[in-house]
Amino acid sequence: MQSVAEALDRLGELAASTTVSTLSAAFDRAGHELALVGGPVRDAFLGRPVHDLDFTTDATPEQILEIVKPISDAHWDIGRDFGTIGARVAGETVEITTYRADSYDGKSRKPDVVFGDSLEGDLVRRDFTVNSLALRLPKIELVDPSGGVEDLIARVLRTPSAPQTSFGDDPLRMMRAARFAAQLGFEVEDGTLAALEELAPEIDRISAERVREELSKLLLADRPVPGLRILVDSGLAQRVLPELPALRLERDEHHRHKDVYEHSLKVLDQAIDYERARGKLDSPDLVVRLAALLHDIGKPATRRLEPGGAVSFYHHDVVGAKLAKKRLRELRYDNDTIAAVARLIELHLRFFGYTDGAWSDSAVRRYVRDAGSPEQLERLHILSRADVTTRNKRKADMLAFAYDDLEQRIAELAEEEELAAVRPELDGEQIMAALGIRPGREVGEAYRFLLELRLDEGPIGEDAARERLLAWWADRGG
């Protein structure tokens, strides 16, 4: 946290930048107010990098366009109905929004867009006091009608108006509370927390797409677990991601098992650490984080209390993959993300068989083949390693050494035979030519035979593959 004087100095430097000064001068010449608002001002106080430049003004969208056209490299009005105009000024992307005073009507999933008439009125309708700060331009005046600076110093999240009013206006703000708590490392003020629990059912009024975006932003935070705990404890997760609170399985005095909820949060934390340390994926990686969080969601449905106090979760990997597909579809995630997450969940137990006995080269090839792309294989490496949360150091070390060995074998085989691109040594055209058949089901069966042969024995050459194919064909009476 920077001091107020340091933050104002930093804001002064930002106001003097080419982009901000060009905009402020243009709006001033046109006789309109302009203020830098929200995240950039907040982050100046926190000492965080300033990325997005958001402005607010008394000008209407039409007037904003008139002002920015002469000074911008490009401009767009895709958010015009909501009062927002985008532009690229001096090489930086900016968004400028007319003062707003809109709210939800309690029934619709979209707000009624109403333009406001003052900067202070715009600020007090925002989500949290720490985001209700503005720098009035060009005179460089800090505007803080709700005590946002004091809350930044105290590292507290609270709403500018009564939380029931704020969350009633836009229920998605409840999920933002969890997200900002995770991103900023802030505590949610007690009255605001109580309102989250009271109004959690109101999140049902928000579209799945907006919920998905907020959940994704939370998961992509440096440390999302505190925000996830807020979602679960408030009851919000029960409405948007019920599989997560369902992991808090009941126990009894006879049957004991690992706390699946706490285990899943630990796996997510560890997956993030591996994601960063290994450096082979673009970080943060949403697929890794979704898979880590959801990898055990099949356990509640598959839990069985066995004689002697044991608890089993047979096939929770397969069940969990199906549940993840269903939930992510309902949240309107794209098909590629859904398929990637579900596949990782389905495969997350595969490695643990490696410690039962040395895998053949064929088994290693199948592990790579089943993962899919090199990117998916790296995600599977991360998830498998992160899934080890035992406090038994000897066991943890044994599993880590085993996975080191598996990765080494994968690397060696890949170097020998380009494992990442495993495919039969004859393609479909060559199969049809060798067997004298036309396109159809039998070509696919022959292809699968040759793929299994490739996985079992490695590269044997086209001639040998053709001989084996002809023998297989003869055995089936072809």
Side-chain angles (χ1 to χ4, degrees):
M1 176 73 186
Q2 308 240 313
S3 70
V4 173
E6 289 172 328
L8 289 175
D9 286 343
R10 192 173 176 207
L11 287 169
E13 293 172 3
L14 185 59
S17 69
T18 302
T19 299
V20 178
S21 61
T22 299
L23 273 170
S24 63
F27 275 79
D28 190 47
R29 285 194 302 269
H32 286 288
E33 300 176 5
L34 185 72
L36 185 66
V37 68
V41 184
R42 177 199 68 213
D43 290 340
F45 279 89
L46 295 177
R48 290 161 54 99
V50 174
H51 298 296
D52 301 321
L53 294 178
D54 295 325
F55 297 85
T56 188
T57 178
D58 63 340
T60 65
E62 292 75 17
Q63 292 168 330
I64 296 172
L65 276 171
E66 289 179 9
I67 295 169
V68 301
K69 279 180 181 180
I71 61 171
S72 62
D73 307 318
H75 58 272
W76 48 94
D77 61 356
I78 192 170
R80 187 172 186 159
D81 290 344
F82 296 94
T84 299
I85 301 297
R88 190 168 63 246
V89 178
E92 289 193 75
T93 299
V94 300
E95 286 192 348
I96 308 158
T97 302
T98 306
Y99 295 152
R100 294 270 293 272
D102 50 62
S103 65
Y104 280 77
D105 62 10
K107 298 177 182 178
S108 171
R109 290 189 165 195
K110 295 182 179 180
D112 295 323
V113 178
V114 179
F115 296 141
D117 56 9
S118 72
L119 174 59
E120 289 76 8
D122 177 274
L123 294 177
V124 296
R125 59 152 289 278
R126 292 177 177 259
D127 51 10
F128 301 101
T129 59
V130 298
N131 295 329
S132 300
L133 300 166
L135 186 70
R136 200 189 298 273
L137 301 167
K139 56 179 140 181
I140 311 181
E141 173 192 349
L142 181 66
V143 182
D144 177 17
S146 306
V149 172
E150 289 82 354
D151 286 341
L152 280 172
I153 294 170
R155 303 182 71 81
V156 167
L157 285 174
R158 76 174 77 240
T159 54
S161 56
Q164 289 79 3
T165 301
S166 181
F167 296 154
D169 283 347
D170 184 354
L172 192 65
R173 290 172 176 172
M174 295 187 287
M175 291 193 66
R176 287 194 194 124
R179 192 241 298 181
F180 284 123
Q183 286 181 334
L184 304 177
F186 283 15
E187 297 292 327
V188 181
E189 178 263 337
D190 289 344
T192 305
L193 273 177
L196 292 180
E197 297 180 30
E198 175 189 345
L199 299 176
E202 295 299 303
I203 198 67
D204 295 347
R205 293 199 275 119
I206 301 300
S207 69
E209 290 82 1
R210 294 185 72 210
V211 169
R212 177 201 66 217
E213 288 303 308
E214 202 57 48
L215 177 62
S216 296
K217 288 177 182 178
L218 167 56
L219 287 173
L220 294 173
D222 285 347
R223 289 295 170 191
V225 166
L228 292 168
R229 291 190 186 280
I230 289 172
L231 290 184
V232 172
D233 294 344
S234 66
L236 282 165
Q238 186 61 44
R239 321 294 301 198
V240 301
L241 192 65
E243 293 79 7
L244 183 58
L247 294 175
R248 297 189 293 188
L249 302 179
E250 295 181 5
R251 303 187 186 194
D252 61 42
E253 59 184 273
H254 303 296
H255 296 83
R256 298 190 178 276
H257 55 78
K258 184 182 296 185
D259 186 321
V260 184
Y261 172 65
E262 292 297 333
H263 165 74
S264 297
L265 296 182
K266 179 68 173 177
V267 170
L268 174 57
D269 261 341
Q270 294 188 162
I272 292 171
D273 290 337
Y274 280 120
E275 172 196 292
R276 292 171 180 153
R278 292 169 66 92
K280 296 180 181 179
L281 297 172
D282 291 336
S283 181
D285 188 281
L286 182 62
V287 170
V288 164
R289 297 178 183 210
L290 282 167
L293 182 65
L294 303 178
H295 76 286
D296 273 348
I297 61 172
K299 281 190 171 180
T302 58
R303 184 174 67 152
R304 298 291 181 271
L305 305 180
E306 307 289 356
V311 180
S312 67
F313 303 97
Y314 294 123
H315 306 302
H316 77 268
D317 46 349
V318 177
V319 172
K322 292 179 180 178
L323 291 173
K325 280 184 181 179
K326 182 176 183 294
R327 178 56 52 196
L328 296 180
R329 282 195 193 106
E330 291 180 359
L331 287 170
R332 304 292 193 271
Y333 278 95
D334 63 273
N335 290 335
D336 289 345
T337 298
I338 294 170
V341 171
R343 189 60 169 155
L344 291 173
I345 294 172
E346 187 177 355
L347 294 174
H348 83 272
L349 294 179
R350 182 76 64 86
F351 157 70
F352 293 96
Y354 190 80
T355 59
D356 296 336
W359 279 4
S360 64
D361 286 351
S362 172
V364 175
R365 292 187 191 101
R366 281 186 169 79
Y367 189 77
V368 175
R369 189 272 310 269
D370 290 347
S373 67
E375 183 179 45
Q376 273 288 91
L377 179 61
E378 174 62 15
R379 289 165 172 161
L380 183 57
H381 290 334
I382 290 172
L383 179 58
S384 299
R385 287 181 179 274
D387 199 21
V388 178
T389 61
T390 178
R391 295 181 181 177
N392 184 322
K393 187 176 186 305
R394 181 178 177 184
K395 182 178 180 182
D397 288 344
M398 178 196 73
L399 290 168
F401 292 147
Y403 211 96
D404 288 343
D405 183 66
L406 174 58
E407 286 205 65
Q408 180 63 31
R409 289 185 63 192
I410 290 172
E412 291 170 354
L413 284 171
E415 186 174 349
E416 291 172 8
E417 55 190 65
E418 297 182 0
L419 183 59
V422 170
R423 58 177 61 88
E425 287 168 299
L426 301 178
D427 61 22
E429 293 291 337
Q430 291 171 305
I431 290 171
M432 289 188 286
L435 302 182
I437 59 177
R438 298 175 64 82
R441 175 178 55 82
E442 291 171 327
V443 178
E445 292 174 355
Y447 187 93
R448 286 189 290 275
F449 163 75
L450 289 174
L451 179 59
E452 291 299 315
L453 181 66
R454 174 75 169 79
L455 290 167
D456 285 338
E457 301 183 21
I460 62 174
E462 287 187 14
D463 292 340
R466 189 174 287 104
E467 289 180 13
R468 298 285 288 274
L469 174 65
L470 291 171
W472 169 82
W473 183 246
D475 287 342
R476 357 175 337 135

